[in-house]
PDB file of all heavy atoms in Angstrom:
ATOM      1  N   ILE A 503       1.877   1.300   0.898  1.00 80.00           N
ATOM      2  CA  ILE A 503       2.736   2.481   0.980  1.00 80.00           C
ATOM      3  C   ILE A 503       3.604   2.611  -0.257  1.00 80.00           C
ATOM      4  O   ILE A 503       3.910   3.713  -0.707  1.00 80.00           O
ATOM      5  CB  ILE A 503       3.601   2.440   2.262  1.00 80.00           C
ATOM      6  CG1 ILE A 503       4.291   3.801   2.464  1.00 80.00           C
ATOM      7  CG2 ILE A 503       4.620   1.314   2.213  1.00 80.00           C
ATOM      8  CD1 ILE A 503       4.980   3.939   3.797  1.00 80.00           C
ATOM      9  N   ASP A 545       4.676   7.157   8.316  1.00 76.00           N
ATOM     10  CA  ASP A 545       4.022   5.854   8.146  1.00 76.00           C
ATOM     11  C   ASP A 545       5.026   4.722   8.017  1.00 76.00           C
ATOM     12  O   ASP A 545       4.641   3.534   8.088  1.00 76.00           O
ATOM     13  CB  ASP A 545       3.131   5.875   6.892  1.00 76.00           C
ATOM     14  CG  ASP A 545       1.946   6.818   7.045  1.00 76.00           C
ATOM     15  OD1 ASP A 545       1.596   7.128   8.209  1.00 76.00           O
ATOM     16  OD2 ASP A 545       1.401   7.273   6.015  1.00 76.00           O
ATOM     17  N   PHE A 546       6.308   5.060   7.824  1.00 71.00           N
ATOM     18  CA  PHE A 546       7.324   4.042   7.583  1.00 71.00           C
ATOM     19  C   PHE A 546       7.470   3.080   8.769  1.00 71.00           C
ATOM     20  O   PHE A 546       7.792   1.902   8.604  1.00 71.00           O
ATOM     21  CB  PHE A 546       8.667   4.725   7.284  1.00 71.00           C
ATOM     22  CG  PHE A 546       9.785   3.776   7.010  1.00 71.00           C
ATOM     23  CD1 PHE A 546       9.836   3.051   5.817  1.00 71.00           C
ATOM     24  CD2 PHE A 546      10.809   3.586   7.935  1.00 71.00           C
ATOM     25  CE1 PHE A 546      10.872   2.179   5.559  1.00 71.00           C
ATOM     26  CE2 PHE A 546      11.840   2.710   7.679  1.00 71.00           C
ATOM     27  CZ  PHE A 546      11.881   2.002   6.487  1.00 71.00           C
ATOM     28  N   ARG A 547       7.193   3.588  10.006  1.00 74.00           N
ATOM     29  CA  ARG A 547       7.360   2.715  11.172  1.00 74.00           C
ATOM     30  C   ARG A 547       6.340   1.575  11.206  1.00 74.00           C
ATOM     31  O   ARG A 547       6.530   0.602  11.932  1.00 74.00           O
ATOM     32  CB  ARG A 547       7.278   3.541  12.454  1.00 74.00           C
ATOM     33  CG  ARG A 547       5.999   4.318  12.646  1.00 74.00           C
ATOM     34  CD  ARG A 547       6.008   5.012  14.010  1.00 74.00           C
ATOM     35  NE  ARG A 547       4.898   5.940  14.142  1.00 74.00           N
ATOM     36  CZ  ARG A 547       4.961   7.224  13.829  1.00 74.00           C
ATOM     37  NH1 ARG A 547       6.095   7.715  13.368  1.00 74.00           N
ATOM     38  NH2 ARG A 547       3.922   8.025  13.972  1.00 74.00           N
ATOM     39  N   ASN A 548       5.251   1.699  10.431  1.00 76.00           N
ATOM     40  CA  ASN A 548       4.231   0.633  10.405  1.00 76.00           C
ATOM     41  C   ASN A 548       4.495  -0.414   9.334  1.00 76.00           C
ATOM     42  O   ASN A 548       3.736  -1.374   9.205  1.00 76.00           O
ATOM     43  CB  ASN A 548       2.847   1.248  10.175  1.00 76.00           C
ATOM     44  CG  ASN A 548       2.468   2.232  11.274  1.00 76.00           C
ATOM     45  OD1 ASN A 548       2.770   2.006  12.449  1.00 76.00           O
ATOM     46  ND2 ASN A 548       1.792   3.324  10.907  1.00 76.00           N
ATOM     47  N   VAL A 549       5.549  -0.200   8.549  1.00 76.00           N
ATOM     48  CA  VAL A 549       5.881  -1.149   7.483  1.00 76.00           C
ATOM     49  C   VAL A 549       6.464  -2.419   8.088  1.00 76.00           C
ATOM     50  O   VAL A 549       7.314  -2.339   8.998  1.00 76.00           O
ATOM     51  CB  VAL A 549       6.896  -0.506   6.498  1.00 76.00           C
ATOM     52  CG1 VAL A 549       7.342  -1.519   5.447  1.00 76.00           C
ATOM     53  CG2 VAL A 549       6.277   0.718   5.840  1.00 76.00           C
ATOM     54  N   PRO A 550       6.040  -3.597   7.616  1.00 80.00           N
ATOM     55  CA  PRO A 550       6.611  -4.868   8.122  1.00 80.00           C
ATOM     56  C   PRO A 550       8.124  -4.891   7.934  1.00 80.00           C
ATOM     57  O   PRO A 550       8.664  -4.287   7.003  1.00 80.00           O
ATOM     58  CB  PRO A 550       5.918  -5.932   7.268  1.00 80.00           C
ATOM     59  CG  PRO A 550       4.643  -5.294   6.823  1.00 80.00           C
ATOM     60  CD  PRO A 550       4.961  -3.828   6.642  1.00 80.00           C
ATOM     61  N   ALA A 551       8.797  -5.603   8.814  1.00 76.00           N
ATOM     62  CA  ALA A 551      10.259  -5.617   8.827  1.00 76.00           C
ATOM     63  C   ALA A 551      10.841  -6.092   7.510  1.00 76.00           C
ATOM     64  O   ALA A 551      11.858  -5.559   7.042  1.00 76.00           O
ATOM     65  CB  ALA A 551      10.749  -6.492   9.971  1.00 76.00           C
ATOM     66  N   GLU A 552      10.209  -7.090   6.889  1.00 79.00           N
ATOM     67  CA  GLU A 552      10.756  -7.649   5.649  1.00 79.00           C
ATOM     68  C   GLU A 552      10.649  -6.674   4.471  1.00 79.00           C
ATOM     69  O   GLU A 552      11.316  -6.851   3.443  1.00 79.00           O
ATOM     70  CB  GLU A 552      10.082  -8.981   5.305  1.00 79.00           C
ATOM     71  CG  GLU A 552       8.590  -8.914   5.010  1.00 79.00           C
ATOM     72  CD  GLU A 552       7.743  -9.009   6.272  1.00 79.00           C
ATOM     73  OE1 GLU A 552       8.324  -8.921   7.391  1.00 79.00           O
ATOM     74  OE2 GLU A 552       6.517  -9.165   6.131  1.00 79.00           O
ATOM     75  N   GLN A 553       9.783  -5.647   4.581  1.00 78.00           N
ATOM     76  CA  GLN A 553       9.602  -4.685   3.489  1.00 78.00           C
ATOM     77  C   GLN A 553      10.335  -3.348   3.725  1.00 78.00           C
ATOM     78  O   GLN A 553      10.382  -2.488   2.840  1.00 78.00           O
ATOM     79  CB  GLN A 553       8.109  -4.390   3.308  1.00 78.00           C
ATOM     80  CG  GLN A 553       7.281  -5.592   2.893  1.00 78.00           C
ATOM     81  CD  GLN A 553       5.825  -5.239   2.685  1.00 78.00           C
ATOM     82  OE1 GLN A 553       5.458  -4.063   2.570  1.00 78.00           O
ATOM     83  NE2 GLN A 553       4.965  -6.262   2.631  1.00 78.00           N
ATOM     84  N   LYS A 554      10.888  -3.188   4.924  1.00 76.00           N
ATOM     85  CA  LYS A 554      11.490  -1.903   5.290  1.00 76.00           C
ATOM     86  C   LYS A 554      12.606  -1.493   4.329  1.00 76.00           C
ATOM     87  O   LYS A 554      12.731  -0.318   3.964  1.00 76.00           O
ATOM     88  CB  LYS A 554      12.014  -1.942   6.722  1.00 76.00           C
ATOM     89  CG  LYS A 554      10.929  -1.760   7.781  1.00 76.00           C
ATOM     90  CD  LYS A 554      11.531  -1.619   9.160  1.00 76.00           C
ATOM     91  CE  LYS A 554      10.442  -1.420  10.218  1.00 76.00           C
ATOM     92  NZ  LYS A 554       9.720  -0.152  10.040  1.00 76.00           N
ATOM     93  N   LYS A 555      13.456  -2.435   3.920  1.00 81.00           N
ATOM     94  CA  LYS A 555      14.579  -2.083   3.051  1.00 81.00           C
ATOM     95  C   LYS A 555      14.093  -1.518   1.721  1.00 81.00           C
ATOM     96  O   LYS A 555      14.541  -0.462   1.258  1.00 81.00           O
ATOM     97  CB  LYS A 555      15.455  -3.302   2.827  1.00 81.00           C
ATOM     98  CG  LYS A 555      16.672  -3.008   1.960  1.00 81.00           C
ATOM     99  CD  LYS A 555      17.555  -4.230   1.824  1.00 81.00           C
ATOM    100  CE  LYS A 555      18.772  -3.915   0.948  1.00 81.00           C
ATOM    101  NZ  LYS A 555      19.664  -5.087   0.791  1.00 81.00           N
ATOM    102  N   ALA A 556      13.132  -2.240   1.092  1.00 81.00           N
ATOM    103  CA  ALA A 556      12.634  -1.805  -0.211  1.00 81.00           C
ATOM    104  C   ALA A 556      11.889  -0.477  -0.104  1.00 81.00           C
ATOM    105  O   ALA A 556      12.069   0.430  -0.935  1.00 81.00           O
ATOM    106  CB  ALA A 556      11.715  -2.884  -0.797  1.00 81.00           C
ATOM    107  N   VAL A 557      11.049  -0.353   0.931  1.00 75.00           N
ATOM    108  CA  VAL A 557      10.284   0.874   1.102  1.00 75.00           C
ATOM    109  C   VAL A 557      11.223   2.047   1.428  1.00 75.00           C
ATOM    110  O   VAL A 557      11.058   3.163   0.923  1.00 75.00           O
ATOM    111  CB  VAL A 557       9.233   0.704   2.213  1.00 75.00           C
ATOM    112  CG1 VAL A 557       8.543   2.026   2.511  1.00 75.00           C
ATOM    113  CG2 VAL A 557       8.196  -0.346   1.806  1.00 75.00           C
TER     114      VAL A 557
END
Side-chain angles (χ1 to χ4, degrees):
I503 191 171
D545 293 339
F546 180 72
R547 58 176 171 268
N548 300 322
V549 175
E552 64 274 11
Q553 297 182 15
K554 281 188 179 295
K555 182 177 180 180
V557 173

